[in-house]
PDB file of all heavy atoms in Angstrom:
ATOM      1  N   ASP B 145      44.629  -2.212  -3.068  1.00 97.00           N
ATOM      2  CA  ASP B 145      43.857  -2.669  -4.256  1.00 97.00           C
ATOM      3  C   ASP B 145      43.061  -1.519  -4.896  1.00 97.00           C
ATOM      4  O   ASP B 145      42.518  -1.689  -5.972  1.00 97.00           O
ATOM      5  CB  ASP B 145      42.933  -3.813  -3.872  1.00 97.00           C
ATOM      6  CG  ASP B 145      41.909  -3.380  -2.794  1.00 97.00           C
ATOM      7  OD1 ASP B 145      42.265  -2.628  -1.888  1.00 97.00           O
ATOM      8  OD2 ASP B 145      40.681  -3.745  -2.920  1.00 97.00           O
ATOM      9  N   GLU B 153      38.471   9.545  -0.430  1.00 97.00           N
ATOM     10  CA  GLU B 153      37.056   9.817  -0.484  1.00 97.00           C
ATOM     11  C   GLU B 153      36.232   9.020   0.539  1.00 97.00           C
ATOM     12  O   GLU B 153      35.321   9.545   1.177  1.00 97.00           O
ATOM     13  CB  GLU B 153      36.525   9.508  -1.893  1.00 97.00           C
ATOM     14  CG  GLU B 153      36.720  10.557  -2.890  1.00 97.00           C
ATOM     15  CD  GLU B 153      35.911  10.306  -4.225  1.00 97.00           C
ATOM     16  OE1 GLU B 153      34.685  10.370  -4.103  1.00 97.00           O
ATOM     17  OE2 GLU B 153      36.531  10.027  -5.249  1.00 97.00           O
ATOM     18  N   TYR B 183      34.722   2.111  11.394  1.00 98.00           N
ATOM     19  CA  TYR B 183      34.586   2.305   9.972  1.00 98.00           C
ATOM     20  C   TYR B 183      35.921   2.191   9.247  1.00 98.00           C
ATOM     21  O   TYR B 183      36.030   1.552   8.222  1.00 98.00           O
ATOM     22  CB  TYR B 183      34.031   3.743   9.684  1.00 98.00           C
ATOM     23  CG  TYR B 183      32.590   3.942  10.096  1.00 98.00           C
ATOM     24  CD1 TYR B 183      32.110   5.225  10.427  1.00 98.00           C
ATOM     25  CD2 TYR B 183      31.657   2.918  10.099  1.00 98.00           C
ATOM     26  CE1 TYR B 183      30.821   5.449  10.721  1.00 98.00           C
ATOM     27  CE2 TYR B 183      30.370   3.149  10.425  1.00 98.00           C
ATOM     28  CZ  TYR B 183      29.914   4.378  10.782  1.00 98.00           C
ATOM     29  OH  TYR B 183      28.588   4.649  11.075  1.00 98.00           O
ATOM     30  N   ALA B 186      37.498  -1.201   8.840  1.00 98.00           N
ATOM     31  CA  ALA B 186      36.910  -1.981   7.796  1.00 98.00           C
ATOM     32  C   ALA B 186      37.227  -1.468   6.421  1.00 98.00           C
ATOM     33  O   ALA B 186      37.311  -2.207   5.454  1.00 98.00           O
ATOM     34  CB  ALA B 186      35.357  -1.975   8.013  1.00 98.00           C
ATOM     35  N   LYS B 191      39.946  -7.633   5.959  1.00 91.00           N
ATOM     36  CA  LYS B 191      40.575  -8.943   6.264  1.00 91.00           C
ATOM     37  C   LYS B 191      39.884 -10.008   5.492  1.00 91.00           C
ATOM     38  O   LYS B 191      38.887 -10.585   5.934  1.00 91.00           O
ATOM     39  CB  LYS B 191      40.498  -9.251   7.749  1.00 91.00           C
ATOM     40  CG  LYS B 191      40.801  -8.107   8.684  1.00 91.00           C
ATOM     41  CD  LYS B 191      42.311  -8.114   9.118  1.00 91.00           C
ATOM     42  CE  LYS B 191      42.542  -7.124  10.281  1.00 91.00           C
ATOM     43  NZ  LYS B 191      42.030  -5.795   9.961  1.00 91.00           N
TER      44      LYS B 191
ATOM     45  N   ARG R 143      31.812  -9.401   1.046  1.00 97.00           N
ATOM     46  CA  ARG R 143      32.807  -9.730   2.115  1.00 97.00           C
ATOM     47  C   ARG R 143      32.163 -10.157   3.411  1.00 97.00           C
ATOM     48  O   ARG R 143      31.067  -9.698   3.768  1.00 97.00           O
ATOM     49  CB  ARG R 143      33.694  -8.517   2.365  1.00 97.00           C
ATOM     50  CG  ARG R 143      32.958  -7.298   2.943  1.00 97.00           C
ATOM     51  CD  ARG R 143      33.796  -6.055   2.878  1.00 97.00           C
ATOM     52  NE  ARG R 143      34.822  -6.002   3.914  1.00 97.00           N
ATOM     53  CZ  ARG R 143      35.433  -4.887   4.327  1.00 97.00           C
ATOM     54  NH1 ARG R 143      35.154  -3.723   3.698  1.00 97.00           N
ATOM     55  NH2 ARG R 143      36.347  -4.896   5.200  1.00 97.00           N
ATOM     56  N   ASP R 145      34.121 -10.528   6.347  1.00 97.00           N
ATOM     57  CA  ASP R 145      34.993 -10.239   7.472  1.00 97.00           C
ATOM     58  C   ASP R 145      34.409  -9.212   8.512  1.00 97.00           C
ATOM     59  O   ASP R 145      34.949  -9.009   9.562  1.00 97.00           O
ATOM     60  CB  ASP R 145      36.384  -9.801   6.976  1.00 97.00           C
ATOM     61  CG  ASP R 145      36.279  -8.452   6.271  1.00 97.00           C
ATOM     62  OD1 ASP R 145      35.348  -8.315   5.471  1.00 97.00           O
ATOM     63  OD2 ASP R 145      37.148  -7.605   6.462  1.00 97.00           O
ATOM     64  N   GLU R 153      25.788   0.102   7.238  1.00 97.00           N
ATOM     65  CA  GLU R 153      26.133   1.488   7.560  1.00 97.00           C
ATOM     66  C   GLU R 153      27.016   2.111   6.533  1.00 97.00           C
ATOM     67  O   GLU R 153      26.876   3.263   6.156  1.00 97.00           O
ATOM     68  CB  GLU R 153      26.822   1.496   8.964  1.00 97.00           C
ATOM     69  CG  GLU R 153      25.936   1.513  10.101  1.00 97.00           C
ATOM     70  CD  GLU R 153      26.691   1.853  11.413  1.00 97.00           C
ATOM     71  OE1 GLU R 153      27.176   2.964  11.577  1.00 97.00           O
ATOM     72  OE2 GLU R 153      26.841   0.943  12.304  1.00 97.00           O
ATOM     73  N   TYR R 183      32.353   3.188  -5.281  1.00 98.00           N
ATOM     74  CA  TYR R 183      32.383   3.067  -3.827  1.00 98.00           C
ATOM     75  C   TYR R 183      32.087   1.671  -3.287  1.00 98.00           C
ATOM     76  O   TYR R 183      32.789   1.087  -2.541  1.00 98.00           O
ATOM     77  CB  TYR R 183      31.445   4.057  -3.154  1.00 98.00           C
ATOM     78  CG  TYR R 183      31.743   5.506  -3.286  1.00 98.00           C
ATOM     79  CD1 TYR R 183      30.803   6.482  -3.234  1.00 98.00           C
ATOM     80  CD2 TYR R 183      33.119   5.956  -3.368  1.00 98.00           C
ATOM     81  CE1 TYR R 183      31.084   7.878  -3.311  1.00 98.00           C
ATOM     82  CE2 TYR R 183      33.388   7.296  -3.485  1.00 98.00           C
ATOM     83  CZ  TYR R 183      32.404   8.211  -3.430  1.00 98.00           C
ATOM     84  OH  TYR R 183      32.701   9.571  -3.505  1.00 98.00           O
ATOM     85  N   LYS R 191      39.650  -6.408  -2.925  1.00 91.00           N
ATOM     86  CA  LYS R 191      40.445  -7.432  -3.538  1.00 91.00           C
ATOM     87  C   LYS R 191      41.865  -7.411  -2.918  1.00 91.00           C
ATOM     88  O   LYS R 191      42.731  -6.609  -3.340  1.00 91.00           O
ATOM     89  CB  LYS R 191      40.595  -7.147  -5.056  1.00 91.00           C
ATOM     90  CG  LYS R 191      39.330  -6.819  -5.746  1.00 91.00           C
ATOM     91  CD  LYS R 191      38.680  -8.008  -6.341  1.00 91.00           C
ATOM     92  CE  LYS R 191      37.478  -7.629  -7.281  1.00 91.00           C
ATOM     93  NZ  LYS R 191      36.508  -6.728  -6.592  1.00 91.00           N
TER      94      LYS R 191
END
Side-chain angles (χ1 to χ4, degrees):
Chain B
D145 63 319
E153 276 192 69
Y183 289 155
K191 314 268 190 307
Chain R
R143 64 193 284 197
D145 64 319
E153 276 192 69
Y183 289 155
K191 313 268 190 307

